[in-house]
Amino acid sequence: MKTYDVTIVGAGPTGLFTAFYGGMRQMSVKIIESLPNVGGQLTALYPEKFIYDIAGFPKIRAKDLVDNLSEQLSIFSPTIMTNESVEDMTRLEDGTWQLTTDNGKHLSKTVIFTTGNGAFEPKRLELEEAANYEGTQLHYFVDDMGTFAGKDVVLFGGGDSAVDWALMLEPIANSITLVHRRDSFRAHEHSIDLLHQSSVTIKTPYVVDHFEPKDDDTFTHVAVRGTNGEVELLKADHVIVNYGFRSHIGNMKNWGMDMERNALKVNSKMETILPGVYAVGDSNFYDGKVKLIACGFGEAPIAINSAKHFVDPETKKHVKHSTDIFSH
């Protein structure tokens, strides 16, 4: 296995910028992310929402910010591992950190946690047959909107994420039906206004009842049940479920780091008490901590510069400006 200079756990906006700055400091970088795509909560929960506290942008959509960060990061071509959750972290005799995930092992000289509130997992349908269709017709994430082009899509949920995806898929899908268990939605008022002006069919209050199978591997319809017990069949090529996500910090409490409020305590260098281990963004805590993306962006260079000096103590602590770095 290759031993990387730095491994970043978490590919939210702060993790992506941390990885970019690691590339600027000429470090070999690996990213480990529990979700199937990068962007963290921005991608999973509210891709169409505007963010207003990013320096230089009066406002920017969450998905556009993630796209920009990914483009910026692509200059250095880091190794990105998705769908992997870190389950254990141990220090080897030579000082290298070994990260064990649910898919393998990774070696790194330093580790930076940018996990926010922890690893995200979707709340899945509580139907026995649901697992048969996951990854083909049943989706908890939208990786490629082209998958739904010209298709009949039924979407379950009532929050920002469900409404956002319904509006985003409306122009390309053959039909979109949004099913919610309550009469009212929990999404932003402006998004709800757009929803009612769209061609999206709204079914409330209904819950999923069962899938109407074509064979063992595919379904043609999904059945929904109203509060009066009435069951209705909806034609569906694909079903998207946006019931929200659960976050958890896993075994992090057992890895020997000080924690407060489920965050890793760090000093002014973003160092934890473990040598070569740092935390940035919502995953860290210190006196005066402010949990904003803007603050995480500012902490990223501090952690990377600390990690760079840890890997190579001869490195000058004075850091050149980006114009100087890229000119060479």
Side-chain angles (χ1 to χ4, degrees):
M1 288 185 293
K2 176 179 177 179
T3 300
Y4 286 78
D5 291 330
V6 59
T7 294
I8 296 163
V9 183
T14 301
L16 295 176
F17 185 68
T18 304
F20 164 75
Y21 203 83
M24 285 188 62
R25 292 307 314 271
Q26 296 182 314
M27 303 179 78
S28 57
V29 179
K30 174 179 278 188
I31 302 173
I32 300 176
E33 167 59 46
S34 63
L35 296 178
N37 41 40
V38 301
Q41 294 187 41
L42 299 190
T43 300
L45 299 183
Y46 41 85
E48 282 296 297
K49 287 292 173 288
F50 282 108
I51 300 172
Y52 297 91
D53 59 353
I54 305 300
F57 292 92
K59 65 177 182 179
I60 184 170
R61 291 187 190 276
K63 65 181 181 65
D64 294 334
L65 176 60
V66 172
D67 289 343
N68 289 351
L69 287 165
S70 298
E71 180 182 353
Q72 182 183 41
L73 175 60
S74 66
I75 299 171
F76 300 113
S77 302
T79 299
I80 301 177
M81 313 297 295
T82 56
N83 271 326
E84 290 197 39
S85 296
V86 177
E87 298 177 341
D88 195 18
M89 183 176 76
T90 55
R91 198 177 190 210
L92 306 181
E93 291 184 1
D94 63 355
T96 300
W97 287 103
Q98 177 178 277
L99 299 172
T100 303
T101 71
D102 48 0
N103 195 43
K105 299 182 185 297
H106 308 269
L107 299 178
S108 189
K109 297 175 184 177
T110 62
V111 178
I112 300 178
F113 285 94
T114 61
T115 48
N117 296 318
F120 262 48
E121 293 180 354
K123 296 179 182 178
R124 287 176 157 78
L125 285 181
E126 296 181 357
L127 293 177
E128 185 176 348
E129 71 266 29
N132 298 333
Y133 309 118
E134 287 186 12
T136 54
Q137 290 179 278
L138 175 59
H139 312 270
Y140 296 98
F141 305 94
V142 177
D143 295 328
D144 179 10
M145 291 201 299
T147 302
F148 309 98
K151 304 296 184 179
D152 295 306
V153 180
V154 177
L155 202 154
F156 289 91
D160 280 313
S161 183
V163 174
D164 281 352
W165 283 120
L167 292 172
M168 291 174 66
L169 291 171
E170 179 207 10
I172 66 171
N174 180 57
S175 69
I176 295 285
T177 303
L178 180 59
V179 182
H180 184 36
R181 61 179 179 172
R182 297 187 178 95
D183 284 320
S184 59
F185 291 90
R186 304 185 310 277
H188 192 277
E189 291 87 347
H190 179 63
S191 298
I192 296 174
D193 288 342
L194 293 177
L195 178 66
H196 287 296
Q197 296 169 26
S198 72
S199 63
V200 174
T201 301
I202 300 172
K203 301 289 293 184
T204 61
Y206 284 84
V207 296
V208 62
D209 188 82
H210 67 272
F211 291 98
E212 196 73 13
K214 177 181 179 181
D215 50 46
D216 292 339
D217 301 319
T218 58
F219 59 79
T220 57
H221 295 75
V222 59
V224 296
R225 185 179 68 256
T227 53
N228 59 0
E230 178 187 358
V231 176
E232 181 177 345
L233 286 178
L234 303 177
K235 185 180 180 182
D237 298 309
H238 293 278
V239 167
I240 302 172
V241 177
N242 284 139
Y243 283 166
F245 291 79
R246 299 182 180 94
S247 63
H248 63 87
I249 61 173
N251 297 322
M252 193 179 292
K253 289 184 176 180
N254 302 322
W255 297 343
M257 295 177 284
D258 286 344
M259 302 194 71
E260 186 165 334
R261 304 176 188 175
N262 276 341
L264 300 172
K265 294 182 70 173
V266 298
N267 60 18
S268 60
K269 298 179 181 178
M270 301 299 121
E271 297 171 321
T272 69
I273 62 172
L274 297 181
V277 180
Y278 311 84
V280 167
D282 289 355
S283 61
N284 74 16
F285 177 82
Y286 52 84
D287 288 340
K289 171 69 180 182
V290 178
K291 290 194 172 186
L292 291 174
I293 294 175
C295 295
F297 286 167
E299 294 166 1
I302 298 173
I304 285 293
N305 290 332
S306 298
K308 177 70 173 180
H309 193 67
F310 182 88
V311 172
D312 183 5
E314 300 301 318
T315 302
K316 293 181 180 180
K317 291 188 176 181
H318 171 71
V319 181
K320 294 182 178 180
H321 294 296
S322 60
T323 50
D324 293 328
I325 294 174
F326 277 96
S327 67
H328 297 293

